[in-house]
PDB file of all heavy atoms in Angstrom:
ATOM      1  N   LEU N  24    -146.574 271.490 164.588  1.00  0.00           N
ATOM      2  CA  LEU N  24    -145.236 271.875 164.245  1.00  0.00           C
ATOM      3  C   LEU N  24    -145.141 272.702 162.983  1.00  0.00           C
ATOM      4  O   LEU N  24    -144.212 273.498 162.802  1.00  0.00           O
ATOM      5  CB  LEU N  24    -144.313 270.663 164.139  1.00  0.00           C
ATOM      6  CG  LEU N  24    -143.949 269.967 165.445  1.00  0.00           C
ATOM      7  CD1 LEU N  24    -143.193 268.676 165.184  1.00  0.00           C
ATOM      8  CD2 LEU N  24    -143.107 270.895 166.298  1.00  0.00           C
ATOM      9  N   MET N  25    -146.115 272.561 162.090  1.00  0.00           N
ATOM     10  CA  MET N  25    -146.173 273.302 160.851  1.00  0.00           C
ATOM     11  C   MET N  25    -146.866 274.638 161.045  1.00  0.00           C
ATOM     12  O   MET N  25    -146.443 275.650 160.516  1.00  0.00           O
ATOM     13  CB  MET N  25    -146.857 272.522 159.772  1.00  0.00           C
ATOM     14  CG  MET N  25    -146.158 271.306 159.254  1.00  0.00           C
ATOM     15  SD  MET N  25    -145.075 271.614 157.899  1.00  0.00           S
ATOM     16  CE  MET N  25    -146.051 272.566 156.804  1.00  0.00           C
ATOM     17  N   THR N  26    -148.001 274.632 161.739  1.00  0.00           N
ATOM     18  CA  THR N  26    -148.850 275.846 161.770  1.00  0.00           C
ATOM     19  C   THR N  26    -148.351 276.878 162.765  1.00  0.00           C
ATOM     20  O   THR N  26    -148.525 278.089 162.439  1.00  0.00           O
ATOM     21  CB  THR N  26    -150.295 275.490 162.114  1.00  0.00           C
ATOM     22  OG1 THR N  26    -150.309 274.754 163.353  1.00  0.00           O
ATOM     23  CG2 THR N  26    -150.919 274.670 161.000  1.00  0.00           C
ATOM     24  N   TRP N  27    -147.782 276.518 163.900  1.00  0.00           N
ATOM     25  CA  TRP N  27    -147.305 277.523 164.827  1.00  0.00           C
ATOM     26  C   TRP N  27    -146.217 278.378 164.239  1.00  0.00           C
ATOM     27  O   TRP N  27    -146.284 279.615 164.349  1.00  0.00           O
ATOM     28  CB  TRP N  27    -146.969 276.914 166.179  1.00  0.00           C
ATOM     29  CG  TRP N  27    -148.157 276.712 167.012  1.00  0.00           C
ATOM     30  CD1 TRP N  27    -148.857 275.551 167.182  1.00  0.00           C
ATOM     31  CD2 TRP N  27    -148.861 277.709 167.707  1.00  0.00           C
ATOM     32  NE1 TRP N  27    -149.945 275.768 167.955  1.00  0.00           N
ATOM     33  CE2 TRP N  27    -149.997 277.113 168.307  1.00  0.00           C
ATOM     34  CE3 TRP N  27    -148.683 279.071 167.905  1.00  0.00           C
ATOM     35  CZ2 TRP N  27    -150.908 277.805 169.091  1.00  0.00           C
ATOM     36  CZ3 TRP N  27    -149.595 279.757 168.652  1.00  0.00           C
ATOM     37  CH2 TRP N  27    -150.672 279.120 169.256  1.00  0.00           C
ATOM     38  N   PRO N  28    -145.177 277.807 163.660  1.00  0.00           N
ATOM     39  CA  PRO N  28    -144.198 278.711 163.001  1.00  0.00           C
ATOM     40  C   PRO N  28    -144.778 279.521 161.886  1.00  0.00           C
ATOM     41  O   PRO N  28    -144.408 280.673 161.676  1.00  0.00           O
ATOM     42  CB  PRO N  28    -143.145 277.730 162.466  1.00  0.00           C
ATOM     43  CG  PRO N  28    -143.273 276.518 163.271  1.00  0.00           C
ATOM     44  CD  PRO N  28    -144.718 276.420 163.616  1.00  0.00           C
ATOM     45  N   MET N  29    -145.749 278.951 161.181  1.00  0.00           N
ATOM     46  CA  MET N  29    -146.411 279.712 160.093  1.00  0.00           C
ATOM     47  C   MET N  29    -147.119 280.905 160.665  1.00  0.00           C
ATOM     48  O   MET N  29    -146.989 282.025 160.113  1.00  0.00           O
ATOM     49  CB  MET N  29    -147.407 278.805 159.359  1.00  0.00           C
ATOM     50  CG  MET N  29    -148.024 279.518 158.176  1.00  0.00           C
ATOM     51  SD  MET N  29    -149.325 278.608 157.302  1.00  0.00           S
ATOM     52  CE  MET N  29    -148.971 276.930 157.523  1.00  0.00           C
ATOM     53  N   MET N  30    -147.830 280.758 161.745  1.00  0.00           N
ATOM     54  CA  MET N  30    -148.529 281.862 162.352  1.00  0.00           C
ATOM     55  C   MET N  30    -147.570 282.901 162.980  1.00  0.00           C
ATOM     56  O   MET N  30    -147.817 284.089 162.870  1.00  0.00           O
ATOM     57  CB  MET N  30    -149.547 281.388 163.390  1.00  0.00           C
ATOM     58  CG  MET N  30    -150.723 280.684 162.763  1.00  0.00           C
ATOM     59  SD  MET N  30    -151.979 280.204 163.957  1.00  0.00           S
ATOM     60  CE  MET N  30    -151.218 278.886 164.838  1.00  0.00           C
ATOM     61  N   LEU N  31    -146.520 282.400 163.604  1.00  0.00           N
ATOM     62  CA  LEU N  31    -145.595 283.314 164.254  1.00  0.00           C
ATOM     63  C   LEU N  31    -144.708 284.113 163.295  1.00  0.00           C
ATOM     64  O   LEU N  31    -144.442 285.251 163.491  1.00  0.00           O
ATOM     65  CB  LEU N  31    -144.688 282.537 165.225  1.00  0.00           C
ATOM     66  CG  LEU N  31    -145.396 282.017 166.485  1.00  0.00           C
ATOM     67  CD1 LEU N  31    -144.422 281.124 167.263  1.00  0.00           C
ATOM     68  CD2 LEU N  31    -145.873 283.099 167.356  1.00  0.00           C
ATOM     69  N   LEU N  32    -144.272 283.432 162.244  1.00  0.00           N
ATOM     70  CA  LEU N  32    -143.306 284.054 161.329  1.00  0.00           C
ATOM     71  C   LEU N  32    -143.894 284.633 160.042  1.00  0.00           C
ATOM     72  O   LEU N  32    -143.179 285.186 159.242  1.00  0.00           O
ATOM     73  CB  LEU N  32    -142.240 283.050 160.946  1.00  0.00           C
ATOM     74  CG  LEU N  32    -141.363 282.512 162.087  1.00  0.00           C
ATOM     75  CD1 LEU N  32    -140.432 281.418 161.617  1.00  0.00           C
ATOM     76  CD2 LEU N  32    -140.589 283.641 162.757  1.00  0.00           C
ATOM     77  N   SER N  33    -145.188 284.545 159.873  1.00  0.00           N
ATOM     78  CA  SER N  33    -145.772 285.076 158.671  1.00  0.00           C
ATOM     79  C   SER N  33    -146.291 286.506 158.822  1.00  0.00           C
ATOM     80  O   SER N  33    -146.703 287.136 157.836  1.00  0.00           O
ATOM     81  CB  SER N  33    -146.931 284.194 158.164  1.00  0.00           C
ATOM     82  OG  SER N  33    -147.968 284.201 159.091  1.00  0.00           O
ATOM     83  N   GLY N  34    -146.335 287.019 160.044  1.00  0.00           N
ATOM     84  CA  GLY N  34    -146.763 288.385 160.264  1.00  0.00           C
ATOM     85  C   GLY N  34    -148.259 288.531 160.429  1.00  0.00           C
ATOM     86  O   GLY N  34    -148.804 289.607 160.288  1.00  0.00           O
ATOM     87  N   ILE N  35    -148.927 287.440 160.776  1.00  0.00           N
ATOM     88  CA  ILE N  35    -150.370 287.515 160.984  1.00  0.00           C
ATOM     89  C   ILE N  35    -150.691 288.247 162.269  1.00  0.00           C
ATOM     90  O   ILE N  35    -151.586 289.092 162.330  1.00  0.00           O
ATOM     91  CB  ILE N  35    -150.998 286.122 161.012  1.00  0.00           C
ATOM     92  CG1 ILE N  35    -150.914 285.484 159.625  1.00  0.00           C
ATOM     93  CG2 ILE N  35    -152.427 286.143 161.503  1.00  0.00           C
ATOM     94  CD1 ILE N  35    -151.409 284.055 159.551  1.00  0.00           C
ATOM     95  N   TRP N  36    -149.992 287.957 163.325  1.00  0.00           N
ATOM     96  CA  TRP N  36    -150.269 288.525 164.628  1.00  0.00           C
ATOM     97  C   TRP N  36    -149.575 289.843 164.902  1.00  0.00           C
ATOM     98  O   TRP N  36    -150.083 290.679 165.664  1.00  0.00           O
ATOM     99  CB  TRP N  36    -149.923 287.549 165.768  1.00  0.00           C
ATOM    100  CG  TRP N  36    -150.834 286.352 165.775  1.00  0.00           C
ATOM    101  CD1 TRP N  36    -152.079 286.253 165.266  1.00  0.00           C
ATOM    102  CD2 TRP N  36    -150.552 285.084 166.284  1.00  0.00           C
ATOM    103  NE1 TRP N  36    -152.619 285.001 165.470  1.00  0.00           N
ATOM    104  CE2 TRP N  36    -151.658 284.255 166.091  1.00  0.00           C
ATOM    105  CE3 TRP N  36    -149.424 284.517 166.893  1.00  0.00           C
ATOM    106  CZ2 TRP N  36    -151.709 282.950 166.493  1.00  0.00           C
ATOM    107  CZ3 TRP N  36    -149.469 283.219 167.299  1.00  0.00           C
ATOM    108  CH2 TRP N  36    -150.608 282.426 167.115  1.00  0.00           C
ATOM    109  N   TYR N  37    -148.427 290.009 164.324  1.00  0.00           N
ATOM    110  CA  TYR N  37    -147.651 291.248 164.593  1.00  0.00           C
ATOM    111  C   TYR N  37    -146.775 291.540 163.371  1.00  0.00           C
ATOM    112  O   TYR N  37    -146.518 290.631 162.554  1.00  0.00           O
ATOM    113  CB  TYR N  37    -146.806 291.100 165.829  1.00  0.00           C
ATOM    114  CG  TYR N  37    -145.952 289.912 165.875  1.00  0.00           C
ATOM    115  CD1 TYR N  37    -144.690 289.926 165.257  1.00  0.00           C
ATOM    116  CD2 TYR N  37    -146.391 288.738 166.450  1.00  0.00           C
ATOM    117  CE1 TYR N  37    -143.899 288.794 165.261  1.00  0.00           C
ATOM    118  CE2 TYR N  37    -145.587 287.600 166.454  1.00  0.00           C
ATOM    119  CZ  TYR N  37    -144.371 287.642 165.861  1.00  0.00           C
ATOM    120  OH  TYR N  37    -143.590 286.535 165.847  1.00  0.00           O
ATOM    121  N   SER N  38    -146.343 292.764 163.249  1.00  0.00           N
ATOM    122  CA  SER N  38    -145.487 293.159 162.142  1.00  0.00           C
ATOM    123  C   SER N  38    -144.091 292.555 162.273  1.00  0.00           C
ATOM    124  O   SER N  38    -143.532 292.497 163.375  1.00  0.00           O
ATOM    125  CB  SER N  38    -145.378 294.679 162.063  1.00  0.00           C
ATOM    126  OG  SER N  38    -144.495 295.037 161.035  1.00  0.00           O
ATOM    127  N   LEU N  39    -143.525 292.131 161.174  1.00  0.00           N
ATOM    128  CA  LEU N  39    -142.171 291.597 161.168  1.00  0.00           C
ATOM    129  C   LEU N  39    -141.144 292.585 160.661  1.00  0.00           C
ATOM    130  O   LEU N  39    -140.001 292.206 160.421  1.00  0.00           O
ATOM    131  CB  LEU N  39    -142.095 290.308 160.334  1.00  0.00           C
ATOM    132  CG  LEU N  39    -142.850 289.126 160.906  1.00  0.00           C
ATOM    133  CD1 LEU N  39    -142.803 287.942 159.941  1.00  0.00           C
ATOM    134  CD2 LEU N  39    -142.278 288.725 162.225  1.00  0.00           C
ATOM    135  N   GLU N  40    -141.570 293.824 160.510  1.00  0.00           N
ATOM    136  CA  GLU N  40    -140.565 294.882 160.104  1.00  0.00           C
ATOM    137  C   GLU N  40    -139.571 295.072 161.213  1.00  0.00           C
ATOM    138  O   GLU N  40    -139.925 295.156 162.379  1.00  0.00           O
ATOM    139  CB  GLU N  40    -141.322 296.172 159.809  1.00  0.00           C
ATOM    140  CG  GLU N  40    -142.141 296.067 158.522  1.00  0.00           C
ATOM    141  CD  GLU N  40    -142.498 297.422 158.000  1.00  0.00           C
ATOM    142  OE1 GLU N  40    -141.831 298.388 158.328  1.00  0.00           O
ATOM    143  OE2 GLU N  40    -143.461 297.478 157.231  1.00  0.00           O
ATOM    144  N   GLY N  41    -138.328 295.083 160.853  1.00  0.00           N
ATOM    145  CA  GLY N  41    -137.245 295.239 161.811  1.00  0.00           C
ATOM    146  C   GLY N  41    -136.846 293.924 162.471  1.00  0.00           C
ATOM    147  O   GLY N  41    -136.008 293.895 163.364  1.00  0.00           O
ATOM    148  N   SER N  42    -137.436 292.819 162.001  1.00  0.00           N
ATOM    149  CA  SER N  42    -137.073 291.516 162.555  1.00  0.00           C
ATOM    150  C   SER N  42    -135.747 291.046 161.950  1.00  0.00           C
ATOM    151  O   SER N  42    -135.308 291.577 160.925  1.00  0.00           O
ATOM    152  CB  SER N  42    -138.180 290.494 162.300  1.00  0.00           C
ATOM    153  OG  SER N  42    -138.354 290.316 160.898  1.00  0.00           O
ATOM    154  N   PRO N  43    -135.100 290.063 162.577  1.00  0.00           N
ATOM    155  CA  PRO N  43    -133.853 289.579 162.024  1.00  0.00           C
ATOM    156  C   PRO N  43    -134.024 289.055 160.600  1.00  0.00           C
ATOM    157  O   PRO N  43    -135.128 288.672 160.181  1.00  0.00           O
ATOM    158  CB  PRO N  43    -133.470 288.440 162.964  1.00  0.00           C
ATOM    159  CG  PRO N  43    -134.183 288.705 164.217  1.00  0.00           C
ATOM    160  CD  PRO N  43    -135.442 289.421 163.825  1.00  0.00           C
ATOM    161  N   ILE N  44    -132.939 289.035 159.850  1.00  0.00           N
ATOM    162  CA  ILE N  44    -132.975 288.635 158.438  1.00  0.00           C
ATOM    163  C   ILE N  44    -133.535 287.243 158.273  1.00  0.00           C
ATOM    164  O   ILE N  44    -134.257 286.949 157.350  1.00  0.00           O
ATOM    165  CB  ILE N  44    -131.572 288.754 157.817  1.00  0.00           C
ATOM    166  CG1 ILE N  44    -131.182 290.216 157.786  1.00  0.00           C
ATOM    167  CG2 ILE N  44    -131.563 288.175 156.429  1.00  0.00           C
ATOM    168  CD1 ILE N  44    -129.742 290.466 157.370  1.00  0.00           C
ATOM    169  N   GLY N  45    -133.216 286.342 159.190  1.00  0.00           N
ATOM    170  CA  GLY N  45    -133.690 284.951 159.125  1.00  0.00           C
ATOM    171  C   GLY N  45    -135.238 284.890 159.193  1.00  0.00           C
ATOM    172  O   GLY N  45    -135.861 284.145 158.425  1.00  0.00           O
ATOM    173  N   CYS N  46    -135.809 285.691 160.045  1.00  0.00           N
ATOM    174  CA  CYS N  46    -137.281 285.737 160.156  1.00  0.00           C
ATOM    175  C   CYS N  46    -137.893 286.328 158.888  1.00  0.00           C
ATOM    176  O   CYS N  46    -138.886 285.851 158.379  1.00  0.00           O
ATOM    177  CB  CYS N  46    -137.714 286.521 161.367  1.00  0.00           C
ATOM    178  SG  CYS N  46    -137.366 285.754 162.923  1.00  0.00           S
ATOM    179  N   ALA N  47    -137.299 287.384 158.429  1.00  0.00           N
ATOM    180  CA  ALA N  47    -137.817 288.069 157.230  1.00  0.00           C
ATOM    181  C   ALA N  47    -137.768 287.204 156.014  1.00  0.00           C
ATOM    182  O   ALA N  47    -138.685 287.164 155.193  1.00  0.00           O
ATOM    183  CB  ALA N  47    -137.079 289.384 156.999  1.00  0.00           C
ATOM    184  N   SER N  48    -136.709 286.417 155.869  1.00  0.00           N
ATOM    185  CA  SER N  48    -136.610 285.560 154.689  1.00  0.00           C
ATOM    186  C   SER N  48    -137.447 284.326 154.820  1.00  0.00           C
ATOM    187  O   SER N  48    -137.942 283.757 153.834  1.00  0.00           O
ATOM    188  CB  SER N  48    -135.149 285.209 154.387  1.00  0.00           C
ATOM    189  OG  SER N  48    -134.605 284.489 155.460  1.00  0.00           O
ATOM    190  N   SER N  49    -137.632 283.812 156.056  1.00  0.00           N
ATOM    191  CA  SER N  49    -138.438 282.585 156.217  1.00  0.00           C
ATOM    192  C   SER N  49    -139.903 282.836 156.005  1.00  0.00           C
ATOM    193  O   SER N  49    -140.643 281.922 155.646  1.00  0.00           O
ATOM    194  CB  SER N  49    -138.173 281.958 157.595  1.00  0.00           C
ATOM    195  OG  SER N  49    -138.712 282.801 158.582  1.00  0.00           O
ATOM    196  N   ARG N  50    -140.362 284.072 156.216  1.00  0.00           N
ATOM    197  CA  ARG N  50    -141.797 284.327 156.082  1.00  0.00           C
ATOM    198  C   ARG N  50    -142.244 284.242 154.646  1.00  0.00           C
ATOM    199  O   ARG N  50    -143.441 284.087 154.389  1.00  0.00           O
ATOM    200  CB  ARG N  50    -142.152 285.656 156.697  1.00  0.00           C
ATOM    201  CG  ARG N  50    -141.635 286.856 155.906  1.00  0.00           C
ATOM    202  CD  ARG N  50    -142.028 288.118 156.594  1.00  0.00           C
ATOM    203  NE  ARG N  50    -141.479 289.227 155.805  1.00  0.00           N
ATOM    204  CZ  ARG N  50    -141.548 290.476 156.168  1.00  0.00           C
ATOM    205  NH1 ARG N  50    -142.185 290.774 157.280  1.00  0.00           N
ATOM    206  NH2 ARG N  50    -141.007 291.422 155.459  1.00  0.00           N
ATOM    207  N   ARG N  51    -141.356 284.335 153.694  1.00  0.00           N
ATOM    208  CA  ARG N  51    -141.730 284.284 152.278  1.00  0.00           C
ATOM    209  C   ARG N  51    -142.278 282.917 151.898  1.00  0.00           C
ATOM    210  O   ARG N  51    -143.044 282.809 150.957  1.00  0.00           O
ATOM    211  CB  ARG N  51    -140.540 284.643 151.387  1.00  0.00           C
ATOM    212  CG  ARG N  51    -140.223 286.101 151.468  1.00  0.00           C
ATOM    213  CD  ARG N  51    -139.245 286.496 150.366  1.00  0.00           C
ATOM    214  NE  ARG N  51    -139.156 287.901 150.256  1.00  0.00           N
ATOM    215  CZ  ARG N  51    -138.234 288.618 150.834  1.00  0.00           C
ATOM    216  NH1 ARG N  51    -137.286 288.049 151.503  1.00  0.00           N
ATOM    217  NH2 ARG N  51    -138.242 289.927 150.708  1.00  0.00           N
ATOM    218  N   CYS N  52    -141.909 281.898 152.657  1.00  0.00           N
ATOM    219  CA  CYS N  52    -142.348 280.517 152.290  1.00  0.00           C
ATOM    220  C   CYS N  52    -143.743 280.187 152.860  1.00  0.00           C
ATOM    221  O   CYS N  52    -144.277 279.169 152.539  1.00  0.00           O
ATOM    222  CB  CYS N  52    -141.344 279.468 152.684  1.00  0.00           C
ATOM    223  SG  CYS N  52    -141.145 279.297 154.459  1.00  0.00           S
ATOM    224  N   PHE N  53    -144.282 281.017 153.720  1.00  0.00           N
ATOM    225  CA  PHE N  53    -145.557 280.782 154.331  1.00  0.00           C
ATOM    226  C   PHE N  53    -146.716 281.337 153.520  1.00  0.00           C
ATOM    227  O   PHE N  53    -146.732 282.535 153.231  1.00  0.00           O
ATOM    228  CB  PHE N  53    -145.585 281.328 155.782  1.00  0.00           C
ATOM    229  CG  PHE N  53    -144.621 280.656 156.656  1.00  0.00           C
ATOM    230  CD1 PHE N  53    -143.709 281.411 157.385  1.00  0.00           C
ATOM    231  CD2 PHE N  53    -144.583 279.283 156.831  1.00  0.00           C
ATOM    232  CE1 PHE N  53    -142.800 280.828 158.214  1.00  0.00           C
ATOM    233  CE2 PHE N  53    -143.680 278.683 157.677  1.00  0.00           C
ATOM    234  CZ  PHE N  53    -142.764 279.466 158.348  1.00  0.00           C
ATOM    235  N   ARG N  54    -147.656 280.496 153.151  1.00  0.00           N
ATOM    236  CA  ARG N  54    -148.755 280.876 152.316  1.00  0.00           C
ATOM    237  C   ARG N  54    -149.709 281.822 153.020  1.00  0.00           C
ATOM    238  O   ARG N  54    -150.322 282.696 152.414  1.00  0.00           O
ATOM    239  CB  ARG N  54    -149.489 279.623 151.891  1.00  0.00           C
ATOM    240  CG  ARG N  54    -150.529 279.878 150.832  1.00  0.00           C
ATOM    241  CD  ARG N  54    -149.836 280.162 149.513  1.00  0.00           C
ATOM    242  NE  ARG N  54    -150.837 280.591 148.575  1.00  0.00           N
ATOM    243  CZ  ARG N  54    -150.693 281.667 147.815  1.00  0.00           C
ATOM    244  NH1 ARG N  54    -149.602 282.363 147.859  1.00  0.00           N
ATOM    245  NH2 ARG N  54    -151.619 281.978 146.984  1.00  0.00           N
ATOM    246  N   SER N  55    -149.811 281.696 154.348  1.00  0.00           N
ATOM    247  CA  SER N  55    -150.745 282.558 155.090  1.00  0.00           C
ATOM    248  C   SER N  55    -150.387 284.034 155.003  1.00  0.00           C
ATOM    249  O   SER N  55    -151.215 284.917 155.149  1.00  0.00           O
ATOM    250  CB  SER N  55    -150.867 282.079 156.518  1.00  0.00           C
ATOM    251  OG  SER N  55    -149.586 282.074 157.132  1.00  0.00           O
ATOM    252  N   ARG N  56    -149.092 284.320 154.804  1.00  0.00           N
ATOM    253  CA  ARG N  56    -148.618 285.661 154.708  1.00  0.00           C
ATOM    254  C   ARG N  56    -149.301 286.409 153.562  1.00  0.00           C
ATOM    255  O   ARG N  56    -149.724 287.559 153.680  1.00  0.00           O
ATOM    256  CB  ARG N  56    -147.125 285.715 154.529  1.00  0.00           C
ATOM    257  CG  ARG N  56    -146.575 287.088 154.327  1.00  0.00           C
ATOM    258  CD  ARG N  56    -145.091 287.076 153.972  1.00  0.00           C
ATOM    259  NE  ARG N  56    -144.812 286.331 152.749  1.00  0.00           N
ATOM    260  CZ  ARG N  56    -144.830 286.881 151.545  1.00  0.00           C
ATOM    261  NH1 ARG N  56    -145.097 288.134 151.374  1.00  0.00           N
ATOM    262  NH2 ARG N  56    -144.558 286.154 150.489  1.00  0.00           N
ATOM    263  N   THR N  57    -149.403 285.730 152.406  1.00  0.00           N
ATOM    264  CA  THR N  57    -149.980 286.414 151.245  1.00  0.00           C
ATOM    265  C   THR N  57    -151.434 286.745 151.427  1.00  0.00           C
ATOM    266  O   THR N  57    -151.919 287.780 151.035  1.00  0.00           O
ATOM    267  CB  THR N  57    -149.781 285.554 149.958  1.00  0.00           C
ATOM    268  OG1 THR N  57    -150.447 284.320 150.150  1.00  0.00           O
ATOM    269  CG2 THR N  57    -148.333 285.363 149.679  1.00  0.00           C
ATOM    270  N   PHE N  58    -152.174 285.814 152.077  1.00  0.00           N
ATOM    271  CA  PHE N  58    -153.595 286.049 152.311  1.00  0.00           C
ATOM    272  C   PHE N  58    -153.801 287.140 153.346  1.00  0.00           C
ATOM    273  O   PHE N  58    -154.710 287.943 153.239  1.00  0.00           O
ATOM    274  CB  PHE N  58    -154.292 284.759 152.705  1.00  0.00           C
ATOM    275  CG  PHE N  58    -154.398 283.816 151.567  1.00  0.00           C
ATOM    276  CD1 PHE N  58    -153.641 282.613 151.591  1.00  0.00           C
ATOM    277  CD2 PHE N  58    -155.192 284.064 150.489  1.00  0.00           C
ATOM    278  CE1 PHE N  58    -153.707 281.769 150.572  1.00  0.00           C
ATOM    279  CE2 PHE N  58    -155.257 283.164 149.432  1.00  0.00           C
ATOM    280  CZ  PHE N  58    -154.526 282.014 149.471  1.00  0.00           C
ATOM    281  N   SER N  59    -152.981 287.169 154.378  1.00  0.00           N
ATOM    282  CA  SER N  59    -153.142 288.217 155.401  1.00  0.00           C
ATOM    283  C   SER N  59    -152.755 289.593 154.816  1.00  0.00           C
ATOM    284  O   SER N  59    -153.383 290.580 155.150  1.00  0.00           O
ATOM    285  CB  SER N  59    -152.306 287.890 156.652  1.00  0.00           C
ATOM    286  OG  SER N  59    -150.941 287.900 156.381  1.00  0.00           O
ATOM    287  N   ASN N  60    -151.731 289.638 153.956  1.00  0.00           N
ATOM    288  CA  ASN N  60    -151.390 290.901 153.330  1.00  0.00           C
ATOM    289  C   ASN N  60    -152.534 291.394 152.439  1.00  0.00           C
ATOM    290  O   ASN N  60    -152.837 292.582 152.410  1.00  0.00           O
ATOM    291  CB  ASN N  60    -150.129 290.767 152.477  1.00  0.00           C
ATOM    292  CG  ASN N  60    -148.889 290.642 153.318  1.00  0.00           C
ATOM    293  OD1 ASN N  60    -148.910 290.930 154.532  1.00  0.00           O
ATOM    294  ND2 ASN N  60    -147.792 290.245 152.725  1.00  0.00           N
ATOM    295  N   ALA N  61    -153.140 290.502 151.678  1.00  0.00           N
ATOM    296  CA  ALA N  61    -154.231 290.898 150.819  1.00  0.00           C
ATOM    297  C   ALA N  61    -155.443 291.370 151.641  1.00  0.00           C
ATOM    298  O   ALA N  61    -156.077 292.395 151.316  1.00  0.00           O
ATOM    299  CB  ALA N  61    -154.617 289.708 149.905  1.00  0.00           C
ATOM    300  N   ALA N  62    -155.757 290.645 152.726  1.00  0.00           N
ATOM    301  CA  ALA N  62    -156.890 291.027 153.543  1.00  0.00           C
ATOM    302  C   ALA N  62    -156.650 292.412 154.221  1.00  0.00           C
ATOM    303  O   ALA N  62    -157.571 293.222 154.338  1.00  0.00           O
ATOM    304  CB  ALA N  62    -157.176 289.976 154.606  1.00  0.00           C
TER     305      ALA N  62
END
């Protein structure tokens, strides 16, 4: 329940540009986003 939303909403698998505001703001709380952006 923790990891699936993290993978879906953090932008690891696909870009979240143009996604609804709720998705864009929720991805900031996922740690995996920062590592995927850096990689």
Side-chain angles (χ1 to χ4, degrees):
L24 285 174
M25 291 270 313
T26 55
W27 277 100
M29 184 185 332
M30 289 186 288
L31 289 173
L32 297 175
S33 65
I35 291 176
W36 291 336
Y37 53 86
S38 174
L39 291 176
E40 290 197 20
S42 61
I44 294 172
C46 290
S48 63
S49 68
R50 70 179 178 185
R51 288 193 168 97
C52 67
F53 296 125
R54 190 71 189 133
S55 56
R56 175 188 61 88
T57 60
F58 291 110
S59 64
N60 286 347

